[in-house]
Amino acid sequence: EVVVCAGFMQEAAMRRAAAEFPDVPFVFIDGYPLSDDAGNSLANVAGISFKEEQAGYFAGYAVVKEGFTKLGFSGGGGGTNPACCRFGYGFVQGANAAAAELGVQVDMNYSWEYGASFQASPDLQTMITGWYDQGTEVVFACGGSMFASISAAASATDGYVVGVDVDQSSQAEAGVVVTSAMKGLSDAVQWAVAKVYDGTFSEIGGTGTSLGVDDNAVGLPTATWSMANYTVADYESLFAQVAGGSVKIDDNYENLEQDYSNLTLNIK
């Protein structure tokens, strides 16, 4: 009655299946609108994406407010995956904003190296261990199984990690994950599938829908984070400012390489 596919790597298979079964609704999580081989839009595919730049912003802002000034970002997809790019750019913006408020300077290592396949690897762990050894305090592990290598490096060097997509606090030693930049994957599935059964799937079929703070679809896990200085009240205030529009977050990650007022970006 409905097929849910999660992740851009399912695109080719889903395009073929959706074209063959035009009466079956397909939900493409972390996806986008699709067309058949003739270039016709597939009206039975709903592309659901997220405003990852907002989640990344919350995480970058939080860790700097917590007191970290030596940050790292290690992303998956080789710099071509839009979701990871939005996460990273948001992380930079949030860190810079918090640093400006505190009147401090922040340094950030920023790399797509060893993340093309989103997999853990000895090379990735070695690189991140080097970052920690050279003073990096916390690294945003933005890329699936890459988390295993980055959290292992953190555990070995008394470093810290920011998780991605879901609350990853339970996937590393206690206290290593300071917070996670989350998006509501399961909630988005439920929301989209509900439209199949209430007869409103046509509202999202054939189009792309991006979910963010207005849909309560991105955020930080306040119940499990391991921060002592940045409070839940602080976070809720920032969330309300983003939702209300008084804090603006740029979603165009092509603007990443710019001059920041209180952050030095070291792209590796």
Side-chain angles (χ1 to χ4, degrees):
E1 295 177 326
V2 56
V3 178
V4 177
C5 298
F8 72 96
M9 294 180 70
Q10 308 221 30
E11 176 186 335
M14 186 173 13
R15 175 182 286 109
R16 292 196 299 271
E20 184 176 352
F21 299 95
D23 294 329
V24 176
F26 288 75
V27 177
F28 189 8
I29 297 294
D30 268 344
Y32 28 80
L34 297 179
S35 301
D36 62 20
D37 291 340
N40 302 308
S41 175
L42 291 169
N44 58 329
V45 176
I48 310 297
S49 61
F50 298 87
K51 299 183 186 299
E52 289 92 355
E53 71 280 357
Q54 295 176 344
Y57 187 100
F58 291 141
Y61 186 94
V63 295
V64 172
K65 284 287 188 173
E66 178 65 10
F68 297 110
T69 58
K70 304 294 185 182
L71 315 182
F73 171 86
S74 180
T80 63
N81 179 269
C84 291
C85 290
R86 288 192 292 266
F87 268 129
Y89 184 37
F91 189 64
V92 171
Q93 293 177 75
N96 183 65
E101 291 179 13
L102 294 172
V104 299
Q105 287 295 131
V106 169
D107 291 313
M108 184 185 297
N109 290 328
Y110 195 100
S111 177
W112 301 106
E113 197 167 6
Y114 306 121
S117 63
F118 295 90
Q119 298 300 309
S121 72
D123 288 335
L124 175 61
Q125 185 170 336
T126 297
M127 182 184 78
I128 301 300
T129 296
W131 286 7
Y132 286 126
D133 286 342
Q134 293 166 19
T136 296
E137 299 162 312
V138 57
V139 175
F140 185 5
C142 186
S145 297
M146 295 168 64
F147 178 85
S149 293
I150 295 170
S151 62
S155 295
T157 56
D158 295 325
Y160 297 93
V161 176
V162 172
V164 75
D165 286 346
V166 298
D167 180 2
Q168 294 193 287
S169 59
S170 65
Q171 299 178 30
E173 292 182 7
V176 168
V177 179
V178 290
T179 191
S180 297
M182 303 191 310
K183 51 191 182 186
L185 298 167
S186 59
D187 290 340
V189 172
Q190 294 177 40
W191 173 80
V193 170
K195 288 187 170 295
V196 174
Y197 292 101
D198 68 12
T200 61
F201 183 80
S202 61
E203 295 177 357
I204 60 173
T207 65
T209 302
S210 182
L211 304 176
V213 293
D214 293 339
D215 312 284
N216 204 31
V218 296
L220 304 181
T222 57
T224 60
W225 70 20
S226 57
M227 291 185 288
N229 301 321
Y230 187 62
T231 68
V232 174
D234 293 334
Y235 166 66
E236 291 176 343
S237 174
L238 177 62
F239 192 99
Q241 291 175 66
V242 174
S246 59
V247 170
K248 305 291 186 183
I249 304 172
D250 186 14
D251 64 355
N252 183 6
Y253 51 81
E254 298 293 338
N255 295 328
L256 172 68
E257 296 188 51
Q258 60 175 281
D259 291 330
Y260 296 93
S261 62
N262 291 71
L263 182 144
T264 301
L265 190 62
N266 307 305
I267 297 178
K268 302 294 186 177

